[in-house]
Amino acid sequence: MLNKATVERLIIYNRVIKELKAQGEKWVTSTDIARALSKTPSQVRRDISSLGRKGKRGVGYNIKKLINDLDSVLGLNDEHCVALIGAGNLGRALIGYPGFKREGFICRLIIDNDPEKIGSKISGIKVESSEGLAKKVARKKIAIAVITVPAEAAQKVVDSAVAGGIKELLNFAPVKIYVPEGVNIRYVDLALEMENLAYSLNYRKKNK
Amino acid sequence: MLNKATVERLIIYNRVIKELKAQGEKWVTSTDIARALSKTPSQVRRDISSLGRKGKRGVGYNIKKLINDLDSVLGLNDEHCVALIGAGNLGRALIGYPGFKREGFICRLIIDNDPEKIGSKISGIKVESSEGLAKKVARKKIAIAVITVPAEAAQKVVDSAVAGGIKELLNFAPVKIYVPEGVNIRYVDLALEMENLAYSLNYRKKNK
DNA sequence: AGCATATTGTGAAATATTTCACAAGCCAAA
DNA sequence: TTTGGCTTGTGAAATATTTCACAATATGCT
Ligand SMILES: NC(=O)c1ccc[n+]([C@@H]2O[C@H](COP(=O)([O-])OP(=O)(O)OC[C@H]3O[C@@H](n4cnc5c(N)ncnc54)[C@H](O)[C@@H]3O)[C@@H](O)[C@H]2O)c1
Ligand SMILES: NC(=O)c1ccc[n+]([C@@H]2O[C@H](COP(=O)([O-])OP(=O)(O)OC[C@H]3O[C@@H](n4cnc5c(N)ncnc54)[C@H](O)[C@@H]3O)[C@@H](O)[C@H]2O)c1
């Protein structure tokens, strides 16, 4: 298991390199990648070498092979079915985002417990109630869920989702969620991001 | 300047402690906080001691004083004006989110260059064109901007925003943005989050 | 007051991550 | 085929971050 920071960088390298490939490039050096991302070439090499891939000294990395390896390690070769739990403002913005589909993430299940929404369609997918959530997830063999319900409801829907076989979660609710061993949950906490900015602004103000 | 990871944790401690305060608690120990967040008590103490605040041995931290210090260090005592640039699906979901206002972030300027949107109101705020963006930002003395325009437009609007005095940015466009020294930009990259999940799922699949 | 128990604050150790620095290898041009 | 200019891969050094471990001290009970 590569460490978290390395994976995040590899994902970005992959994007940058795909861009270069689209522009017709065949080779890329650690310095090129580093420049595009304001990292050190040394870090880029260290990260790439953790894939096992070997570049060519004096030349750099073969873009096609490198992308292959990255996609394979990052699990981007096949599509992933995703469940969206909570079809509110944020959830709907996410479902409609074409970028996800482009990267291979297909929404196969939308859950909401608002009677007004249940039965309606969003981006062509029927909104289903949270009744029997675990079974619904299990039936479709979905492993990834995006959680966009209010904080109070989050732990509960996660528990059902996990019971149904969800292994990977992306949680937007601003609350700590407990998941069993072997289940991975990531947090996107937009208020935390804003507060980080506030800290930085405040620090600046105080120190000059 | 506290390191990034410490600030992120402090923000979360602050939240947890405010919760406890609302429940009537007066004191909290590093162990309590650590348990709520699955961290070590030692880390919590180290983080809090970086504020300069002193707890009471044998007892813990006085919640009221600790929140005071946290709010003061994190810059949460006064409100912050925010500009939202790009009033599309994601931008509108963010503007409407009551959590931001609750945490003291007030949207004072909405920018979009879609003629259909310019002049209309979102959450009571008029949408303005991106013409003269720098001046608009400067006139309202806004220091924080949230970027939710398409990737292609992002660098350009950021340049204008920074020219107008923006110092802190939260960028949702999946593209590396260059900002001058002294300006802080954070990225929220939702596709990256999904790809992280894909990596983890893939790793699991391959290694068992 | 004395004792038992709890919890902080912090050097020092342990880990983790990043960067340095350079031998080794590749390529093109002469 | 030799030379010079690049660039990789990677030990080792440098940094950064986290955890350990325990003296210092607060509180409550007898
Ligand atoms: N909108 C934002 O910009 C934003 C920003 C930061 C954080 N968040 C967080 O993201 C989450 C969603 O935000 P939102 O703005 O979309 O809220 P929202 O109220 O618009 O949407 C929440 C949706 O979840 C549904 N829901 C509630 N309980 C449910 C349950 N038990 N099972 C299934 N569905 C349920 C509701 O019917 C609603 O449709 C919240 O936790 C919020 O704090 C949102
Ligand atoms: N919606 C999502 O869930 C999601 C997820 C991940 C990333 N993103 C990223 O967030 C950004 C916004 O996404 P979205 O779904 O809201 O897109 P969107 O197309 O709905 O909205 C973009 C808005 O920006 C406006 N705009 C374009 N150029 C502009 C300019 N130069 N100045 C001012 N306004 C301009 C458009 O008129 C539009 O209203 C994109 O970069 C997208 O890649 C969105």
Side-chain angles (χ1 to χ4, degrees):
Chain A
M1 188 95 171
L2 303 173
N3 86 58
K4 205 180 93 118
T6 301
V7 174
E8 297 199 348
R9 285 191 301 265
L10 288 173
I11 290 170
I12 309 272
Y13 301 166
N14 196 18
R15 250 190 234 165
V16 168
I17 299 162
K18 281 178 177 167
E19 183 82 17
L20 289 175
K21 187 181 176 217
Q23 287 164 27
E25 296 290 334
K26 298 263 183 292
W27 295 88
V28 65
T29 69
S30 59
T31 311
D32 297 338
I33 300 175
R35 201 177 13 240
L37 298 167
S38 314
K39 306 273 172 200
T40 65
S42 168
Q43 171 126 84
V44 172
R45 291 203 295 279
R46 185 70 76 189
D47 287 338
I48 292 179
S49 81
S50 73
L51 297 178
R53 158 133 311 277
K54 301 292 174 189
K56 226 183 225 182
R57 296 180 177 196
V59 180
Y61 302 93
N62 178 293
I63 286 185
K64 206 165 142 194
K65 286 187 187 161
L66 184 51
I67 290 175
N68 250 330
D69 279 9
L70 281 166
D71 279 351
S72 150
V73 169
L74 296 174
L76 301 179
N77 280 323
D78 12 64
E79 292 187 336
H80 295 285
C81 296
V82 175
L84 181 101
I85 307 181
N89 292 310
L90 186 57
R92 285 197 309 265
L94 295 173
I95 293 172
Y97 181 58
F100 290 136
K101 198 163 197 174
R102 212 182 309 127
E103 312 260 346
F105 297 94
I106 317 283
C107 184
R108 287 270 185 249
L109 179 63
I110 302 180
I111 298 287
D112 201 294
N113 72 349
D114 176 352
E116 295 270 308
K117 286 176 187 151
I118 295 169
S120 72
K121 282 198 170 183
I122 300 178
S123 297
I125 302 155
K126 183 116 57 78
V127 178
E128 303 187 32
S129 91
S130 58
E131 286 276 307
L133 173 51
K135 271 202 188 115
K136 287 170 180 168
V137 168
R139 185 153 357 103
K140 299 197 177 179
K141 293 198 177 31
I142 300 176
I144 300 180
V146 175
I147 307 300
T148 46
V149 296
E152 314 79 64
Q155 182 69 58
K156 193 160 164 259
V157 299
V158 169
D159 290 345
S160 309
V162 168
I166 293 285
K167 291 276 181 261
E168 304 289 333
L169 295 131
L170 186 57
N171 172 46
F172 287 84
V175 61
K176 163 91 186 171
I177 304 281
Y178 298 89
V179 290
E181 190 81 12
V183 173
N184 178 33
I185 182 162
R186 292 178 66 90
Y187 294 77
V188 176
D189 187 328
L190 301 173
L192 181 145
E193 297 295 335
M194 296 299 289
E195 294 188 13
N196 253 286
L197 300 184
Y199 166 71
S200 164
L201 192 62
N202 190 239
Y203 179 84
R204 196 174 314 205
K205 216 178 287 175
K206 285 188 182 163
N207 297 75
K208 88 136 191 89
Chain B
M1 188 97 171
L2 303 172
N3 86 57
K4 205 180 92 119
T6 301
V7 174
E8 297 198 349
R9 287 190 302 265
L10 288 174
I11 290 171
I12 311 270
Y13 301 165
N14 196 18
R15 250 190 233 164
V16 168
I17 298 163
K18 281 178 176 168
E19 183 83 18
L20 289 176
K21 187 182 176 216
Q23 287 164 25
E25 297 290 334
K26 298 263 183 291
W27 294 89
V28 64
T29 71
S30 59
T31 311
D32 296 338
I33 300 174
R35 202 179 11 241
L37 297 168
S38 313
K39 306 275 171 197
T40 65
S42 170
Q43 171 126 85
V44 172
R45 290 203 295 280
R46 186 67 79 190
D47 288 338
I48 292 179
S49 80
S50 72
L51 297 178
R53 158 133 309 279
K54 300 292 174 187
K56 224 183 227 184
R57 294 177 180 200
V59 180
Y61 302 92
N62 178 294
I63 286 185
K64 206 163 142 197
K65 285 187 187 163
L66 184 50
I67 290 175
N68 250 330
D69 280 10
L70 281 166
D71 280 350
S72 150
V73 168
L74 297 174
L76 300 179
N77 281 323
D78 12 64
E79 294 188 333
H80 295 285
C81 296
V82 175
L84 181 102
I85 306 181
N89 292 311
L90 186 57
R92 285 196 309 264
L94 295 173
I95 293 172
Y97 181 57
F100 291 135
K101 198 162 196 177
R102 212 182 308 126
E103 312 261 347
F105 297 94
I106 317 283
C107 184
R108 288 270 185 247
L109 179 64
I110 302 180
I111 298 288
D112 201 294
N113 73 350
D114 176 351
E116 295 270 308
K117 285 175 188 151
I118 296 170
S120 72
K121 282 198 169 185
I122 300 179
S123 297
I125 302 155
K126 183 115 59 76
V127 178
E128 304 186 31
S129 92
S130 57
E131 287 275 308
L133 172 52
K135 273 207 187 114
K136 287 171 180 167
V137 167
R139 185 153 354 105
K140 299 197 176 178
K141 293 199 174 37
I142 300 177
I144 300 180
V146 175
I147 307 300
T148 46
V149 297
E152 314 80 66
Q155 182 69 57
K156 194 160 162 260
V157 300
V158 168
D159 290 344
S160 309
V162 168
I166 292 286
K167 291 277 183 260
E168 303 289 333
L169 295 131
L170 186 58
N171 172 47
F172 287 85
V175 61
K176 163 91 186 169
I177 304 280
Y178 298 88
V179 290
E181 189 82 11
V183 173
N184 178 34
I185 183 163
R186 292 178 65 92
Y187 294 77
V188 176
D189 188 327
L190 301 174
L192 180 145
E193 298 295 334
M194 296 300 288
E195 293 188 15
N196 252 288
L197 300 184
Y199 166 71
S200 164
L201 192 62
N202 190 240
Y203 179 84
R204 195 174 315 208
K205 215 178 287 173
K206 284 188 182 163
N207 296 75
K208 84 140 199 117

